[in-house]
Amino acid sequence: MGAVSGITTLGQFIIARQKDFPYAKGELSRLLRDISIAAKIVNREVNKAGLVDILGEMGLMNVQGESVKKLDVFANEQFISALSYGGECCGIASEENEHIVGIHSEISKYANYVVAIDPLDGSSNIDVNAPIGTIFSIYRRVSPYGPAQLCDFMQKGTEQVAAGYVMYGSSTMLVYTTGKGVNGFTLDPSIGEFCLTHPDMVIPQMGNIYSINEGNYKFFPEGVKRYIKYCQIEDEETNRPYSSRYIGSLAADFHRNLIKGGIYMYPATAYSAKGKLRLLYECNPLAFIVEQAGGKASDGFQRILDIDPYALHERTPLFIGSHDMVEMVEGMMLEYSSRVD
Ligand code: AHG
Ligand code: MN
Ligand code: MN
């Protein structure tokens, strides 16, 4: 791999890894390639967002009732079009579409995969040039043929065959797993290729960063309040107080904690019993990645990947990151869940 230049591109890596799946016909590899091409196009637009009239709100609401920015729409179109014409995907569930987008073309009729996607994550950061991302999850279809059906997406996270995210930051990275470890690639804009820069990523078992929107403190469950206080107490032996870091882009916050060690939390709040984040295209893919990197992802009481989905856009509380940190907050959730203060 990469013998000529000393670098390994994402394309080379995907082909080399095909041997991990002896019966595979290269379909998943082609699907990942399609996603990476769309990601490069989105990256191009993200980079010039400050220069053209693509910034700002469109004045529409998405199915979640949140305002949609122009780049959300653009990114959604790019991924849907790359997946529709690639021939390996029979349907897409996107944050930006209320219903699944079934692919009706002749070549996609027997496609084996469906993709759930948050095309642009952290969209409130677009206007201020802060990092944003794309998060995706790939399942093998369960319906027999034709355009995808809802049942293809109503699978537990444990059934994912691949998942990844792209982070459009100071440099652009694509990180993904197919269940055999996690690998990270950085886009070299001079050659237009994602290059392997972070092979076999492992999240530290313990970290000293906690990431949460503390403005909502008042509305958090008691267990979360106790854990935040724990993070803030001075204790030399356990390296506390921890640092608080919160960008407000899940993909970017997750990425930092994956590399440095830490925990990201979006709990239930007094006004939203299931928090904010979406199970299918935000929590499950990152949960798959974090587990593959040796970390943990929980809704406070159970493993994210074990949740049986019932709706396309359902939400779940999320605690994700270094194994021992997630385990501790789970302990506090359990201890204080029945108490009312
Ligand atoms: P999206 O832009 O796809 O709607 O996702 C935004 C999400 C997530 O990226 C981020 O961590 C979280 O919302 C931030 O929410 P708060 O502003 O409530 O902290
Ligand atoms: Mn999002
Ligand atoms: Mn989004």
Side-chain angles (χ1 to χ4, degrees), residues 62 64 66-67 72 95-96 118-125 132-133 135 212-214 216 246-253 264 266 271 276-278 281-282:
N62 71 8
Q64 321 289 337
E66 297 151 347
S67 60
D72 295 48
E95 182 190 7
E96 304 299 335
D118 179 354
L120 208 86
D121 173 63
S123 41
S124 65
N125 278 327
I132 46 184
I135 309 173
I212 188 167
N213 184 345
E214 258 177 286
N216 292 330
Y246 192 73
I247 296 168
S249 283
L250 172 62
D253 280 307
Y264 175 97
Y266 209 109
Y271 51 84
K276 177 181 186 187
L277 301 174
R278 277 56 61 108
Y281 40 82
E282 291 182 315

Side-chain angles (χ1 to χ4, degrees), residues 32-51:
L32 287 165
R33 186 206 54 199
D34 295 342
I35 291 175
S36 75
I37 291 169
K40 284 188 217 174
I41 296 170
V42 171
N43 177 67
R44 188 186 65 202
E45 296 308 308
V46 167
N47 275 321
K48 66 183 188 200
L51 299 171

Side-chain angles (χ1 to χ4, degrees), residues 1 8-21 26 28-30 32-33 176:
M1 269 196 298
T8 302
T9 68
L10 176 62
Q12 291 169 325
F13 186 86
I14 289 172
I15 291 166
R17 281 298 169 97
Q18 230 170 274
K19 66 176 179 342
D20 287 346
F21 306 94
L28 182 61
S29 302
R30 285 193 289 275
L32 287 165
R33 186 206 54 199
Y176 83 99

Side-chain angles (χ1 to χ4, degrees), residues 77-100:
E77 286 168 2
Q78 287 307 318
F79 284 105
I80 289 178
S81 131
L83 293 167
S84 301
Y85 294 111
E88 307 298 352
C89 175
C90 61
I92 301 152
S94 164
E95 182 190 7
E96 304 299 335
N97 297 91
E98 184 172 359
H99 303 292
I100 58 173

